[in-house]
Structure formats: C-alpha cells, structure tokens
Amino acid sequence: MQCTKPYLGNKMPWNVCSAFAVGIGSLATVVSAQQYAISPLGYRPDSTDTIPVLISNSQIIVGFADIGIPPGQTPFFLSAGSPAVFPSSPGNTIFSPEAINDSGTVAGFLMPNAQHPLPAFYSAALYQNGQYVELSPPALSTGAYTDNFRALALNNSGEAVGFVNVDESQMFAVSWVNGQASLIDADSNESSSANAINDQGWIAGAIGPVSGAYANPVIWHDGQVIHIALPGNATSGCAIAINNAQQVLVSYTGPNIDDGFLVWDQGVETLLPGFSDPIYGTYATSMNDSGVVVGTSANHAVLWQNGQICDLNDLVAPDSGWVLTDATSINDPGDIVGYGTYDGSDVPFLLTPTGEISVPEPALTPVLATALTLLAHRRRYKPLA
C-alpha cells in the first residue's frame, strides 16, 4: 500500500507564476514573490546521483548519495558549513530518512540493501547524535506480521509516527513516544497510516478499508478523528503533511484526475494548480509552518503560496545557469533544497531567501495534477522501496 513518485526525466519549458484558474486565464498581471540565492550541493563526488530529501530549520540537510556498484543508496547528513557525514547503517541495511526535527534527529526506517536475501523487512529507526536507534513494533495479536513497520514523521518533542503491517493487506497507524510504540487506530475493519505530526501532537494520515481500494485523509487529535473532505470528483486521498498552524497538505485522485493536491486549513480547502503538460505531472513534497508548499510541475521546481504556483526558475538570477527541476523540502525560514541541472549535469541545490521581487503572471490554463500517496508518503526521487 506504499506509493512513490516516478522519476520524471528532463525539464520542460515553463516561465510562470499563476493563480489557479478554470478555463482560459486572464491578461497577465504582476505578483510579488520571494527571490532566492542558489548554491550547489555536491556532497559526494564518487556518487552517480545525490538527492537532498529534507532540510531542518537549522539547515541540516539529509538525502541520498547513489554510490553505484553494487547498486545502493547511502544516506548523507550535512550541517551548514560542515562536511557531509555518511554513517553506515546497522547490519546489511539501508536507512531511508523520512523526517527531521529541529534538534537534527531523523526518523525513517531500515530496509535490506541490494544484497540482502528475501524475505524483505522494514523496521522503524531514528538517527540521532551520530547513532541509529532501532524502534520496536507495537504489540500485535499472535500471528500478525511485524516485518514491515516504518516511521514517517517526527516532531520537536521526539514523537514519531508511521505504520505497521498487521497482515498482508492491512496496516495500522503507529506512534512512538520515548521509544514505546502504540497503535493510533486499531479498528480491525480498517487500514490506517500516520504520515505527519506537528509540535502540538496533531497527527495526519489516512484511513481506508482493509482492501486498500480507497482511503480518506484524516487528522487524529485528542482522541478525535477529523475527516477531511475531498473534492467532489475525487474518490481517495491521503494527508501527507501537517504544520504547526494545523494546515494539512492532502493528495487525492479519482476518475479523470491523474492526481491532485490541496491545502486544508480549518475546513477551508485550496486546490493547488499545476502547469499543463502532456508528459510530466505535478507533485507536492513539503510544507512549512507558513503554509508554503514546494514540489515539481511540468518538470520544473515550483512553490505554492496563497493559492498561487510559482516556477522557482523565475525566482533565481536569470543568468544562474541552472534549470531547477525538483524542490524536495522547505523549512520554516524558507530555505529550499532540491535538484536540477547545471552545466549539463544533475546537481542538488540549496535556495536561501534574499527578498521579494515582482514576477509577471501570464495567462495560462493550469491543470490539477499530482500523485496520491496512499497510506504512506510520496517522493519524486528514485524510490528505494
């Protein structure tokens, strides 16, 4: 029941910063947008690909370095102004980083590397103070599966959330507090996953039938379950991020919808537009406490703010030499990491805000496009599992 983003290839030409519209857009206007300075992040020269995944508020960056032969992706941890650290995972495993908090603790899961024999396993873990700390699964009934339990999110109190598979077709949302696991939702007639948690303990995720045919985005808070309504033409969805303002980033899909994203804010929903393109889709990956969302659309790195989509290529110096294709994470100060092409090579980048500029908003017809992350999480970079 895990969904991942496909690797979407090379960029298409776009130069836009547009509010959502239905039908043909109006005449061009001018909007205000943040301008960014760009820095390359070439973490590991012996890797064939280096992809930043997460950035903390203190600019600790976490990602993957593909070391090639034998095939495998090694996580790296980079603090601002310090060399990257490539810690070895315990045993014959690879660590998949999924979330980072302000103290630099990373939540994720360990999985078999390319040389590990079947059966595969996935186990929740933290990386903190230079060490991996393996988490235990929650207590389950006799005979239930426990070889697939993953931490997908982490708050500044150290509480992690994720899911555990209880059999081949069912999973339950899980939280870890002080290393102790407990089920968030254990309804035997449902599957559930916790994909995000904020500092107030609000948890976002999805609930669906055991069959996995569809799912509904939800919030768990103070013992209550808040169901997030989907657009009328959507049949399934999943909450993938929640910030400290209780705004929730939701993905959804349905008939005649490849994929879609919206931001839920206390019952008010704002659809996130994408750039129309016959090949490349639109994917949101991260949201900060200001409600700014980043991702990709038509193979350009983009951000969404106040119902508008902006091409990040328009927000860096026009002579930078970069083509920004993916924005993978944004922190609360507004720093963004991702990757693109520079001088003919794929290179990861860091964007830092430098001030606001005016950007033309041309007439166009954006479309809804994005990818559903059903009961788990999504990434556009090459999936590990």
Side-chain angles (χ1 to χ4, degrees):
M1 298 186 73
Q2 176 157 356
C3 297
T4 57
K5 292 184 180 180
Y7 182 75
L8 298 181
N10 296 324
K11 101 184 187 74
M12 296 292 288
W14 286 105
N15 180 28
V16 298
C17 178
S18 174
F20 178 74
V22 177
I24 302 300
S26 60
L27 295 177
T29 59
V30 174
V31 296
S32 180
Q34 182 64 248
Q35 189 174 33
Y36 294 89
I38 186 167
S39 304
L41 296 174
Y43 298 134
R44 185 159 181 161
D46 62 341
S47 66
T48 60
D49 198 4
T50 305
I51 300 170
V53 177
L54 306 166
I55 183 169
S56 74
N57 289 337
S58 57
Q59 285 194 349
I60 298 174
I61 300 169
V62 183
F64 290 109
D66 192 335
I67 58 175
I69 301 173
Q73 291 179 310
T74 300
F76 64 78
F77 302 85
L78 176 75
S79 297
S82 301
V85 176
F86 299 86
S88 298
S89 304
N92 196 22
T93 64
I94 298 172
F95 180 67
S96 177
E98 304 295 318
I100 188 170
N101 66 14
D102 288 349
S103 68
T105 298
V106 180
F109 54 90
L110 297 166
M111 57 188 166
N113 67 21
Q115 307 302 316
H116 197 284
L118 295 176
F121 67 90
Y122 303 90
S123 57
L126 302 178
Y127 180 79
Q128 56 186 2
N129 300 322
Q131 296 183 333
Y132 289 99
V133 178
E134 297 187 53
L135 300 174
S136 299
L140 299 173
S141 59
T142 302
Y145 287 80
T146 57
D147 61 351
N148 187 359
F149 58 102
R150 313 187 192 190
L152 302 178
L154 180 73
N155 66 13
N156 284 318
S157 298
E159 181 178 358
V161 297
F163 69 85
V164 59
N165 272 88
V166 294
D167 60 33
E168 292 180 339
S169 61
Q170 188 176 24
M171 59 176 58
F172 287 153
V174 179
S175 72
W176 286 269
V177 179
N178 297 323
Q180 299 299 310
S182 60
L183 296 178
I184 299 169
D185 189 309
D187 189 326
S188 61
N189 298 314
E190 298 175 340
S191 275
S192 61
S193 176
N195 304 324
I197 182 171
N198 67 13
D199 290 339
Q200 291 79 43
W202 293 49
I203 298 170
I207 293 175
V210 174
S211 67
Y214 63 88
N216 186 74
V218 298
I219 301 168
W220 289 278
H221 175 60
D222 286 343
Q224 303 295 315
V225 180
I226 302 170
H227 290 262
I228 297 175
L230 294 172
N233 54 349
T235 56
S236 62
C238 180
I240 60 173
I242 184 169
N243 64 19
N244 287 325
Q246 283 75 56
Q247 295 171 309
V248 182
L249 179 61
V250 175
S251 67
Y252 62 89
T253 190
N256 303 317
I257 306 173
D258 287 337
D259 301 286
F261 286 106
L262 63 84
V263 173
W264 180 94
D265 189 352
Q266 305 300 315
V268 177
E269 298 182 348
T270 301
L271 303 183
L272 301 184
F275 302 146
S276 179
D277 184 82
I279 299 175
Y280 301 109
T282 299
Y283 304 91
T285 55
S286 177
M287 178 175 66
N288 68 10
D289 276 353
S290 297
V292 180
V293 178
V294 297
T296 183
S297 185
N299 213 34
H300 269 208
V302 298
L303 65 79
W304 292 268
Q305 187 171 17
N306 300 325
Q308 294 180 326
I309 182 172
C310 289
D311 188 334
L312 283 169
N313 288 278
D314 290 339
L315 306 181
V316 298
D319 58 352
S320 70
W322 284 83
V323 176
L324 310 181
T325 57
D326 290 79
T328 55
S329 184
I330 183 171
N331 63 13
D332 293 335
D335 305 311
I336 300 169
V337 291
Y339 56 95
T341 59
Y342 182 79
D343 196 23
S345 300
D346 294 331
V347 182
F349 63 77
L350 167 67
L351 300 181
T352 53
T354 59
E356 290 192 348
I357 59 172
S358 294
V359 181
E361 178 189 14
L364 52 81
T365 307
V367 297
L368 294 176
T370 35
L372 171 69
T373 302
L374 179 61
L375 302 182
H377 79 295
R378 97 244 341 286
R379 292 274 200 276
R380 183 178 181 268
Y381 53 74
K382 300 171 186 176
L384 292 173

